[in-house]
Amino acid sequence: MNPIVKAVGVRKSFGGFEALKGIDLEIERGEVLCVIGPSGSGKSTFLRCINQLEVTDGGALWVNGELVGYRRVGRKLYELSEREIARQRVATGMVFQRFNLFPHKTALQNVVEGPAQVLRQDQKQAETDARELLARVGLAEKCDAYPIELSGGQQQRVAIARALAMKPSLMLFDEPTSALDPELVGEVLAVMRNLARTGMTMIVVTHELGFAREVANRVVFMDQGQVIELGSPAQVLSNPNHARTRNFISAVLS
């Protein structure tokens, strides 16, 4: 089976700081991969490289069998144009820590925006699909509400619906509950659980170890720009091989 994401020796630096130090990783279609690790370990940077919000400095990334950001002609690599990058990016939906909704648009308008403007979908069809997606995330009655009228959890669920509206083959979640009040975390995780049950391929950067244990097929522990440990939730979360993994999990659970 061809992996939906393949990373080979991926590197990324910001000035003198090396955020990713040669990441090798494959994610299979339909898999839920949870990525855990301390702040500054490179987790979010890796997601941003997959979604081409950051340009890699070394190695190679493939999504859906396509080399990310470059076109190979013979032995030479050529950077893709902005239009080509935008076309590749459509295959990947991303949900951020902050919801990044358009404050002047309703929940429905936020979800319709991408399909109507980017995919050139018929406006009526886009609205029908958007209503279905908002119902799917438990917000059927909030279609006409503006972001300021929604709780953080509701805004994040709109953001998930907005990403799904582009019909991505891969969903990336960058600590989607970290900006939420504790009582709102559960409603977002419930939507993500349901999404995982549909077979959506998901890469989730999270500190929610209970969610990772329940939903993930595999868990990656990253530290200092490297993959330290990779395995099943039971192995990585309950019986880790590395002291760094054990120390991190103990700190999160304490």
Side-chain angles (χ1 to χ4, degrees):
M1 184 183 293
N2 291 326
I4 192 169
V5 177
K6 182 176 181 179
V8 177
V10 171
R11 294 181 176 274
K12 177 64 185 177
S13 295
F14 299 97
F17 174 68
E18 196 172 15
L20 298 177
K21 302 175 181 177
I23 301 295
D24 295 316
L25 200 58
E26 293 187 2
I27 296 96
E28 298 297 335
R29 203 169 296 275
E31 181 176 17
V32 178
L33 180 80
C34 284
V35 186
I36 64 172
S39 297
S41 60
K43 309 181 303 293
S44 297
T45 300
F46 182 57
L47 289 196
R48 292 175 66 85
C49 287
I50 293 173
N51 203 37
Q52 301 193 64
L53 297 173
E54 302 289 352
V55 178
T56 58
D57 296 323
L61 260 173
W62 288 265
V63 175
N64 285 322
E66 283 193 66
L67 185 63
V68 166
Y70 296 91
R71 180 175 58 256
R72 189 186 301 276
V73 180
R75 293 189 173 185
K76 289 190 175 182
L77 289 177
Y78 297 89
E79 288 188 20
L80 296 183
S81 67
E82 284 298 322
R83 176 176 291 186
E84 290 171 311
I85 288 172
R87 177 189 62 77
Q88 284 191 340
R89 193 180 282 141
V90 166
T92 305
M94 189 155 180
V95 178
F96 300 88
Q97 296 177 30
R98 298 291 174 180
F99 325 121
N100 296 337
L101 299 178
F102 295 115
H104 61 290
K105 292 181 181 289
T106 64
L108 183 70
Q109 290 168 337
N110 265 281
V111 178
V112 165
E113 180 77 9
Q117 299 300 319
V118 179
L119 301 182
R120 303 297 182 190
Q121 191 175 358
D122 173 76
Q123 184 73 21
K124 275 194 171 181
Q125 186 60 54
E127 288 186 8
T128 298
D129 292 349
R131 289 183 188 279
E132 290 177 359
L133 283 169
L134 286 168
R136 184 173 165 186
V137 299
L139 294 173
E141 77 288 357
K142 297 293 186 180
C143 287
D144 298 324
Y146 288 89
I148 197 170
E149 301 172 304
L150 301 173
S151 70
Q154 290 171 332
Q155 290 186 60
Q156 192 62 296
R157 285 187 279 156
V158 173
I160 293 172
R162 180 181 60 183
L164 290 173
M166 299 298 286
K167 298 180 171 59
S169 55
L170 169 68
M171 284 286 288
L172 307 175
F173 294 87
D174 187 8
E175 298 192 36
T177 61
S178 65
L180 300 178
D181 292 333
E183 66 268 22
L184 301 177
V185 168
E187 64 191 52
V188 174
L189 293 181
V191 169
M192 293 170 64
R193 284 189 193 93
N194 289 335
L195 185 58
R197 292 189 190 107
T198 70
M200 172 63 75
T201 310
M202 298 164 58
I203 306 177
V204 184
V205 170
T206 184
H207 288 301
E208 301 290 342
L209 300 188
F211 173 83
R213 190 184 304 277
E214 178 187 350
V215 177
N217 299 105
R218 291 186 299 162
V219 175
V220 171
F221 173 67
M222 289 182 65
D223 192 20
Q224 297 182 8
Q226 297 175 300
V227 171
I228 304 301
E229 195 151 357
L230 170 64
S232 69
Q235 186 264 301
V236 175
L237 299 177
S238 299
N239 190 30
N241 293 321
H242 294 267
R244 286 155 82 183
T245 315
R246 289 194 293 273
N247 292 339
F248 172 78
I249 291 171
S250 296
V252 171
L253 295 178
S254 63

